[in-house]
Amino acid sequence: MNDSTQPIVTMQKLNKHFGSLHVLKDINLEIVPGEVVVVIGASGSGKSTLIRCINGLEEFQSGNLTVDGHDLMPFGKSTKALQKIRTEVGMVFQQFNLFPHLSVLDNITLAPMKVRGWNREDAEETAMRLLERVGIADQAKKSPTQLSGGQQQRVALARALAMEPRLMLFDEPTSALDPEMIGEVLDAMRELAKEGMTMVIVTHEMGFAREVADRVIYIHQGEITEQGPPQQLFDKPQHERTQSFLARVL
Ligand code: ADP
Ligand code: MG
């Protein structure tokens, strides 16, 4: 289903437990095509778990979750939908998770060839175009281990984009980077946002959030405490918890 007016993500009363730990509590969330949503909150509040549920990396115990028209069921009972979602949702992690034994180029062409059945020529052409776009076409033949952290993260971004995702998830994509490399990764993400990609971004980069987010969601102990446009959430937070969190990080 690619209806452009339908939400890409619909989450209703989603609950997630790790054993006795109730990590996500009755989360309701709708994300529409082209929307850029930034998720903020203290360490351990459930941000990673939330976005990992969206691409089926974590199962949940109750609630409804639909991603791009595919229903994910509680307790991971949705193999078919999972396969679809994994190919339609791109994810960039804090640790770049590139394959160290493959060249930069092969890191990017692997999934399109294996999963989408593209031939090598087409896959490489697309990969080079994406590397160009994130500014590292000259690194294509190298091993990821020869690249800086900022370059590796841009490869990870290009790799995700090669699958032509309908939705991109980012989990603290700049948290493992040296400060001087954060900007180049944020620039690439900013470009992507401008082009209309639907994005869910967990980040501590509040300046970036203010600039690119259509909506900022503040999570506290597994609950959405408050959400709104960045100007509203950052400048006029309504909830006392949001205020004290922002006072600590801004
Ligand atoms: P955040 O990304 O906001 O820092 P997480 O979603 O990683 O938070 O974690 C939320 C809570 O769930 C934390 O208390 C964390 O310790 C716990 N948790 C995360 N992953 C697991 C796991 N695989 N097993 C058990 N507990 C987990
Ligand atoms: Mg996290």
Side-chain angles (χ1 to χ4, degrees):
M1 278 221 297
N2 285 337
D3 186 336
S4 61
T5 60
Q6 291 297 312
I8 290 199
V9 177
T10 306
M11 200 178 259
Q12 289 166 327
K13 300 200 91 172
L14 185 130
N15 285 278
K16 162 75 184 171
H17 303 257
F18 284 116
S20 60
L21 189 65
H22 196 175
V23 181
L24 296 176
K25 301 168 186 164
D26 279 341
I27 300 279
N28 295 306
L29 179 62
E30 260 193 15
I31 298 168
V32 297
E35 199 177 11
V36 177
V37 175
V38 168
V39 181
I40 62 171
S43 174
S45 57
K47 305 180 297 297
S48 295
T49 306
L50 177 70
I51 65 168
R52 289 166 62 84
C53 283
I54 297 175
N55 70 347
L57 283 174
E58 296 287 354
E59 55 186 47
F60 52 94
Q61 280 73 39
S62 70
N64 296 310
L65 175 57
T66 306
V67 181
D68 203 22
H70 307 291
D71 292 327
L72 279 173
M73 311 303 285
F75 299 102
K77 290 176 191 156
S78 33
T79 328
K80 271 238 165 88
L82 261 181
Q83 285 171 359
K84 278 276 179 203
I85 286 165
R86 296 257 169 87
T87 63
E88 284 167 30
V89 178
M91 178 129 180
V92 173
F93 301 88
Q94 181 173 340
Q95 301 300 338
F96 328 119
N97 297 346
L98 297 171
F99 305 114
H101 59 292
L102 296 180
S103 70
V104 162
L105 189 66
D106 290 343
N107 262 276
I108 300 173
T109 57
L110 185 70
M113 288 171 65
K114 271 205 155 166
V115 181
R116 295 257 196 255
W118 292 14
N119 65 44
R120 177 172 297 280
E121 200 185 340
D122 289 346
E124 288 191 351
E125 196 182 306
T126 300
M128 287 309 300
R129 183 171 48 74
L130 289 167
L131 284 173
E132 194 88 48
R133 185 162 142 192
V134 297
I136 42 172
D138 53 338
Q139 310 294 317
K141 297 288 180 210
K142 289 192 184 165
S143 157
T145 57
Q146 295 172 279
L147 269 52
S148 72
Q151 290 174 323
Q152 289 188 57
Q153 195 59 305
R154 285 182 285 157
V155 175
L157 177 58
R159 181 175 63 175
L161 293 176
M163 288 293 280
E164 303 179 322
R166 294 254 302 143
L167 168 69
M168 282 289 300
L169 308 175
F170 296 86
D171 194 358
E172 300 197 30
T174 60
S175 294
L177 298 177
D178 291 334
E180 72 270 22
M181 291 170 190
I182 292 175
E184 64 199 43
V185 171
L186 295 181
D187 283 346
M189 293 171 64
R190 204 177 272 120
E191 281 300 310
L192 197 57
K194 268 198 209 141
E195 289 162 18
M197 177 64 77
T198 312
M199 300 162 77
V200 184
I201 307 166
V202 175
T203 187
H204 298 291
E205 296 290 332
M206 299 298 164
F208 173 77
R210 184 189 282 271
E211 189 192 330
V212 306
D214 295 307
R215 178 162 47 131
V216 181
I217 293 179
Y218 171 62
I219 295 197
H220 176 81
Q221 294 181 359
E223 288 179 279
I224 296 178
T225 302
E226 183 167 350
Q227 58 181 309
Q231 300 80 352
Q232 182 190 314
L233 196 113
F234 288 127
D235 298 337
K236 297 183 214 93
Q238 301 298 304
H239 204 290
E240 184 271 326
R241 283 208 187 101
T242 320
Q243 291 164 8
S244 61
F245 173 75
L246 290 173
R248 275 181 280 131
V249 298
L250 285 181

